[in-house]
């Protein structure tokens, strides 16, 4: 920051390039980013990694321990290769972890910014409706909606989206209300700008950051809830590999092969803690004012 | 020719004698809602029948304690808040009927007190200044060019400052940027809402001098809202004193500062330390807090704190009465035959 005071230096570049530079200087964020990228890329390119068939089981090779030759991470209760199932399982787990949060980010921001900017009766209508969803604990709400819609991946995406819209909308509304009352919004109105221009130029670039940070912190919750739905049989159906479902089916083997049974949980833990640490890093990187 | 077109071409009724701004019976009452159904349980008379005029090229200072309605008046003038009633005429045209609000905002701009909150932290200085012209359809290159011109005008080197963000500037520099932003639409009237209140004394002087220079070189008219009596005395041609949403006294700056007629004005001025021991006001300092604006006192709003209050002050609200040339005060002592013991008998 001190360097900026010197006139000889080139002018500061855009806000997002400054954020990017700060993110790259943050070792924890970079490490988490690399881990997540590796897991995501492995899930996407799973068929080309030369892994075993994640569906082919073998009764005689059930529950082999970690490190068995040919089965790096052992086998599950039906003799299927754990490594292959964990990598393939990332496809569904990440999908139902990320997509609901993304959907909720779009819908919640739309609702929250509208409510916060327009204020008055529209604000009351939107926010009180959203409050209704707060009456239920999020896990219960997800289970209830999934139960009503029936099992299936898309239904769990829908139910998790509904679970995450209220908190995101609420954050969006409170940030927007704060920004809307700042003098620069009045100055923009005094310049003759219409509401759409004001939202686009002056509101969104001040509220998207905090909402985005909040949303990334929900990814881990979403993954755990999605795993929970699969665990209860409301999400993915067997034999589809998915971390939550794997956790459920391996639960009976916990006394025989506790390490194997812990593997899907470890994956969920690694991915969600990486997303959480990254969202922390993002938050401090976006606070350029420091 | 419509009113708006006439304005743009500078052909308005009355020529130089036509006041740039005429305000009549301006009112804004804020309802206070309460209870289960959000019914209006009380109202705050933030601005209660304010009337004044601003001539072309003059500076009108508006002073008063916190909560007296001076900032609300400023925001009403540029229609950031809709008035409940009253008329604002800009260059002879009634705002809302003869010229649209958008046209008013072409001619009137505002500088806010909080230099940081009035700049978007995510926009560079040049983008903030160029925003107004861009909204009005000026091409980007031209708007940026204009922003650089304005930065030079307010004493900031564009090569050094144009691409910076507000947090990289000092308070005085930010307020210069805010002035440049307000000037970007080439207004004729600038409303300055406590523009130097948040600045250090040395920076305050620089910004005030800049404002005086800009006024001369660009032929501007100012409405200068402040609670700092020294600053208002320095910059104003005329001064309007407000108390609880009403005009207490209005007049030329010398008349107000040397020969104030309203006891409230005198009390305010006595709170201002004088450099000259012989010129010390003998008025008793004002006692107590201003009354609650939710339940304002009857009659003259000042009677609860006025040393000269009599029965008539409690029952009737005094109208703004002329004292001398262009100098008026809303006090029963100045109204002939009002019933106050110090008033002249009715003619």
């Amino acid at each position: 920051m001190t360097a900026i005071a010197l006139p000889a230096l080139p002018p500061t570049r855009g806000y997002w390039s400054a954020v990017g530079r700060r993110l790259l200087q943050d070792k924890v964020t970079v490490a988490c980013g690399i881990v997540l990228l590796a897991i995501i890329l492995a899930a996407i390119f799973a068929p080309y990694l030369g892994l075993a068939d994640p569906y082919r089981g073998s009764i005689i090779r059930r529950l082999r321990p970690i490190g068995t030759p040919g089965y790096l991470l052992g086998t599950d209760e039906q003799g299927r290769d754990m490594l292959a199932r964990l990598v393939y399982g990332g496809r569904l787990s990440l999908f139902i972890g990320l997509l609901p949060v993304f959907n909720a980010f779009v819908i919640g921001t739309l609702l929250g910014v509208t409510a916060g900017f327009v204020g008055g009766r529209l604000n009351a209508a939107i926010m009180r409706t959203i409050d209704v969803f707060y009456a239920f604990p999020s896990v219960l709400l997800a289970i209830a909606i999934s139960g009503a819609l029936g099992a299936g991946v898309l239904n769990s995406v829908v139910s998790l989206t509904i679970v995450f819209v209220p908190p995101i909308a609420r954050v969006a509304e409170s940030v927007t209300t704060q920004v809307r009352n700042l003098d620069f919004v009045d100055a923009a109105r005094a310049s003759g700008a219409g509401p759409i221009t004001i939202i686009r130029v002056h509101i969104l670039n001040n509220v998207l950051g905090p909402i985005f940070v909040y949303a990334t912190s929900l990814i881990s919750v979403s993954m755990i809830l999605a795993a929970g739905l699969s665990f209860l049989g409301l999400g993915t159906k067997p034999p589809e590999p998915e971390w939550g479902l794997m956790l459920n089916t391996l639960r009976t083997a916990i006394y025989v092969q506790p390490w194997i049974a812990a593997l899907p949980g470890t994956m969920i833990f690694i991915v969600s803690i990486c997303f959480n640490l990254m969202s922390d890093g993002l938050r401090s990187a976006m606070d350029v004012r420091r | 020719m419509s009113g708006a077109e006439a304005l743009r071409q500078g052909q308005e009724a009355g020529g130089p004698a036509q006041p740039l701004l005429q305000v009549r019976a301006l009112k804004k009452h804020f309802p206070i809602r309460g209870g289960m159904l959000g019914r209006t349980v009380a109202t705050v008379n933030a601005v209660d029948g304010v009337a004044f005029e601003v001539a072309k090229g003059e500076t009108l200072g508006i002073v008063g304690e916190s909560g007296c309605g001076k900032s609300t008046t400023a925001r009403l003038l540029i229609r950031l808040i809709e008035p409940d009633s009253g008329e604002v005429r800009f260059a002879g045209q009634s705002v809302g009927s003869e010229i649209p609000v958008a046209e008013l905002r072409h001619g009137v701009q505002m500088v806010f007190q909080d230099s940081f909150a009035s700049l978007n932290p995510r926009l560079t200085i040049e983008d903030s200044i160029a925003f107004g012209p861009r909204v009005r359809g000026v091409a980007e290159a031209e708007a940026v060019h204009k922003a650089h011109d304005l930065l030079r005008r307010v004493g900031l080197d564009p090569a050094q400052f144009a691409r910076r963000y507000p947090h990289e500037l000092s308070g005085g520099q930010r307020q210069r940027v805010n002035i440049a932003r307000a000037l970007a639409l080439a207004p004729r009237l600038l409303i300055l809402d406590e523009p130097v209140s948040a600045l250090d004394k040395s920076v305050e002087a620089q910004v005030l001098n800049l404002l005086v220079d800009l006024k001369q070189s660009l032929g501007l008219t100012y409405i200068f809202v402040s609670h700092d009596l020294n600053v208002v005395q320095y910059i104003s041609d005329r001064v309007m004193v407000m108390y609880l949403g009403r005009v207490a006294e209005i007049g030329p700056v010398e008349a107000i500062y040397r020969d104030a007629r309203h006891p409230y004005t005198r009390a305010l001025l006595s709170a201002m330390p004088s450099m000259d021991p012989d010129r010390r006001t003998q008025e008793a300092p004002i006692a107590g807090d201003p009354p609650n604006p939710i339940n304002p006192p009857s009659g003259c709003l000042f009677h609860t704190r006025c040393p000269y209050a009599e029965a008539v002050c409690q029952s009737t609200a005094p109208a703004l009465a002329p004292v001398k040339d262009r100098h008026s005060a809303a006090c029963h002592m100045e109204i002939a035959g009002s019933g106050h013991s110090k008033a002249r008998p009715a003619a």
Side-chain angles (χ1 to χ4, degrees), chain B:
Chain B
M1 190 184 290
S2 79
E5 280 166 22
L7 254 187
R8 260 192 229 107
Q9 295 168 16
Q11 301 170 353
E12 64 237 339
Q18 167 70 42
L20 188 58
L21 196 75
Q22 293 158 288
V23 180
R24 274 187 215 127
L26 195 63
K27 264 186 198 163
K28 181 69 194 178
H29 295 182
F30 292 109
I32 299 195
R33 295 186 195 282
M36 286 268 289
L37 301 167
R39 274 170 308 194
T40 305
V41 292
T43 52
V44 175
N45 302 351
V47 174
D48 197 20
V50 164
F52 61 91
E53 289 184 354
V54 187
K56 283 170 188 154
E58 83 168 346
T59 299
L60 174 73
I62 303 182
V63 291
E65 288 167 285
S66 304
C68 72
K70 45 192 202 298
S71 282
T72 308
T73 307
R75 280 164 195 260
L76 284 171
L77 293 181
I78 194 169
R79 288 291 169 102
L80 285 174
I81 309 174
E82 280 299 311
D84 292 339
S85 65
E87 187 188 28
V88 175
R89 295 178 83 86
F90 182 67
Q93 317 271 353
S94 180
V95 174
S97 56
E98 286 164 44
I99 51 167
V101 171
E103 200 61 40
L104 167 84
R105 287 173 178 167
H106 223 134
V108 185
Q109 283 290 298
M110 182 156 171
V111 175
F112 300 86
Q113 173 178 10
D114 186 340
S115 67
F116 196 73
S118 49
L119 288 172
N120 185 340
R122 296 281 184 262
L123 292 189
T124 56
I125 300 312
E126 70 179 9
D127 286 342
S128 275
I129 300 174
F131 177 75
R134 294 277 294 129
V135 166
R136 303 278 174 155
V138 176
E140 185 166 3
E142 200 186 322
V144 168
H145 183 74
K146 192 170 187 177
H148 287 201
D149 268 356
L150 285 163
L151 277 175
R152 246 172 259 127
R153 268 222 126 99
V154 297
L156 298 173
D157 177 16
Q160 199 185 329
F161 288 97
R163 305 296 296 276
R164 289 201 188 167
Y165 288 89
H167 70 272
E168 299 170 338
L169 269 58
S170 71
Q173 289 167 342
R174 278 199 297 265
Q175 207 53 298
R176 285 167 189 267
V177 172
N178 280 319
I179 293 167
R181 189 254 312 274
L183 293 176
L185 290 169
R188 299 168 68 193
L189 173 67
L190 211 52
I191 298 172
L192 302 145
D193 186 7
E194 309 248 11
V196 294
S197 305
L199 303 178
D200 293 345
K201 279 291 161 196
S202 58
V203 182
E204 176 181 290
Q206 291 168 13
V207 173
L208 284 176
N209 288 333
L210 171 73
L211 286 171
V212 172
D213 290 347
L214 286 171
K215 186 184 161 189
Q216 277 175 358
S217 58
L218 298 173
L220 297 168
T221 302
Y222 287 162
I223 291 180
F224 193 100
V225 177
S226 181
H227 61 262
D228 187 328
L229 295 159
N230 287 309
V231 169
V232 168
Q233 184 177 19
Y234 171 74
I235 204 154
S236 307
D237 300 315
R238 285 197 307 137
V239 176
M240 179 165 103
V241 181
M242 284 186 72
Y243 187 74
L244 286 181
R246 291 192 194 156
V247 179
E249 187 162 8
I250 183 167
V253 64
E254 318 83 52
I256 297 285
Y257 279 78
R258 297 234 172 122
D259 185 24
R261 294 305 179 89
H262 199 287
Y264 177 63
T265 315
R266 291 210 292 267
L268 269 188
L269 291 171
S270 71
M272 184 174 128
S274 168
M275 300 299 273
D276 180 359
D278 297 333
R279 290 266 307 281
R280 225 171 253 159
T281 345
Q282 298 302 310
E283 201 77 28
I286 196 161
D289 291 324
N292 187 350
I294 297 174
N295 285 311
S298 61
C300 175
L301 295 175
F302 190 58
H303 83 253
T304 53
R305 298 161 92 191
C306 183
Y308 309 106
E310 292 183 5
V312 61
C313 302
Q314 288 180 35
S315 55
T316 353
L320 206 57
V323 178
K324 262 186 204 167
D325 183 34
R326 300 201 303 147
H327 182 181
S328 314
C331 178
H332 284 304
M333 293 193 288
E334 296 298 329
I335 301 171
S338 66
H340 194 285
S341 61
K342 294 201 174 195
R344 280 167 285 124

Side-chain angles (χ1 to χ4, degrees), chain A residues 10-130:
Chain A
T12 344
R13 253 167 288 149
Y15 171 70
W16 290 109
S17 72
V19 171
R21 211 170 44 239
R22 283 158 148 267
L23 272 180
L24 288 179
Q25 284 164 1
D26 182 354
K27 289 194 189 86
V28 176
T29 308
V30 172
C32 288
I34 291 170
V35 171
L36 280 179
L37 201 66
I39 293 175
I40 292 170
L41 287 179
I44 293 172
F45 296 107
Y48 309 102
L49 295 180
L51 296 164
D53 184 347
Y55 299 100
R56 203 193 61 218
S58 162
I59 293 297
I60 56 166
R61 280 193 282 271
R62 287 191 305 161
L63 291 170
R64 291 289 165 93
I66 295 172
T68 310
Y71 302 97
L72 191 60
L73 292 178
T75 57
D76 71 358
E77 79 288 351
Q78 295 194 37
R80 296 173 293 202
D81 183 47
M82 274 304 282
L83 179 64
R85 282 185 72 78
L86 285 176
V87 172
Y88 275 92
R91 296 183 142 193
L92 263 179
S93 291
L94 289 168
F95 179 75
I96 48 180
L98 291 170
L99 191 64
V101 175
F102 178 78
N103 291 343
F105 176 68
V106 174
I107 300 168
T109 303
L110 204 70
L111 287 173
V113 170
T114 311
F117 189 76
V118 178
R121 295 217 172 133
L122 187 65
N123 179 311
I126 293 177
M127 296 319 288
R128 294 299 82 76
T129 311
I130 274 169

